[in-house]
Amino acid sequence: NMPKNIVKATISVGIHNFQQNLENRTLIEKSAAILKALPDLIFVINKRGEIIDYNASKKELLYAPPEIFLNKNITNYLADEDR
């Protein structure tokens, strides 16, 4: 049999992890709701300059379909003087 203090510690860690996951999920849901409410285009760009995601409140705001720009480098779409 396991000592009672080990069982209590295991349960405590499990409860803490559950609470953290719940808080993280709530934060993610709130952030997603805020992003959806914004009227602006938002592009997520990784360290290599690739567009990996976007948020558009209205698809008409996009100049091209996502498959054209997703996973492409942002410099492909900048004017020469802005590179």
Side-chain angles (χ1 to χ4, degrees), residues 43-53 69-77:
F43 295 95
V44 179
I45 301 169
N46 66 17
K47 291 179 182 180
R48 294 184 301 274
E50 299 163 337
I51 303 168
I52 57 172
D53 201 4
F69 60 81
L70 281 177
N71 301 310
K72 304 288 189 313
N73 198 288
I74 187 70
T75 58
N76 295 340
Y77 308 101

Side-chain angles (χ1 to χ4, degrees), residues 12-82:
S12 177
V13 168
I15 291 171
H16 175 75
N17 288 343
F18 176 79
Q19 289 171 332
Q20 280 298 121
N21 288 337
L22 189 59
E23 289 172 13
N24 289 342
R25 195 172 321 139
T26 301
L27 182 59
I28 290 168
E29 289 170 358
K30 285 180 180 179
S31 298
I34 290 168
L35 279 177
K36 286 181 182 180
L38 292 175
D40 302 322
L41 285 171
I42 298 173
F43 295 95
V44 179
I45 301 169
N46 66 17
K47 291 179 182 180
R48 294 184 301 274
E50 299 163 337
I51 303 168
I52 57 172
D53 201 4
Y54 73 98
N55 182 67
S57 59
K58 298 177 185 173
K59 299 295 180 195
E60 312 83 66
L61 295 173
L62 295 173
Y63 289 105
E67 53 272 8
I68 299 293
F69 60 81
L70 281 177
N71 301 310
K72 304 288 189 313
N73 198 288
I74 187 70
T75 58
N76 295 340
Y77 308 101
L78 297 175
D80 288 337
E81 61 270 9
D82 293 332

